[in-house]
């Protein structure tokens, strides 16, 4: 059975396969499971709601930052 993911705008994109990888953002790193599928040019990775919820992310669009509060860090991390 072929799987697909519904993306912004309601379009369905075919899933190619799944993989596990290490994500590093500054001093923060974690192991993630990912769904591999074609993305628009210039987009390499989409961090979905499950990751954003897990790190209790707070986005500041005006400042261009994402503050994460991962469980294994004592202080929040600000990502630019």
């Amino acid at each position: 059975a072929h799987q697909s993911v519904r993306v912004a705008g309601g379009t369905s994109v075919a899933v190619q396969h799944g993989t596990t990888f290490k994500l590093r953002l500054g001093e923060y790193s974690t192991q993630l499971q990912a769904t591999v599928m074609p993305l628009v040019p210039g987009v390499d990775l989409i961090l979905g709601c499950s990751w954003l919820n897990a790190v209790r992310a707070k986005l500041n669009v005006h400042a261009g930052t994402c503050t994460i509060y991962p469980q294994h860090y004592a202080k929040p991390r600000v990502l630019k």
Side-chain angles (χ1 to χ4, degrees):
H2 294 286
Q3 290 185 314
S4 63
V5 173
R6 188 171 307 271
V7 296
T11 305
S12 289
V13 178
V15 171
Q16 294 175 338
H17 58 87
T19 191
T20 301
F21 71 101
K22 186 172 190 171
L23 172 70
R24 275 193 215 164
L25 301 168
E27 295 175 11
Y28 171 78
S29 68
T30 190
Q31 195 82 9
L32 291 177
Q33 291 182 336
T35 300
V36 178
M37 60 188 182
L39 299 173
V40 297
V43 176
D44 297 321
L45 175 69
I46 297 171
L47 295 169
C49 290
S50 59
W51 180 80
L52 292 168
N53 285 325
V55 297
R56 299 173 299 168
K58 290 193 170 55
L59 303 175
N60 183 329
V61 176
H62 180 73
T65 61
C66 175
T67 303
I68 60 173
Y69 301 82
Q71 292 180 349
H72 56 281
Y73 285 95
K75 295 181 181 180
R77 301 286 184 216
V78 178
L79 310 171
K80 291 188 174 200

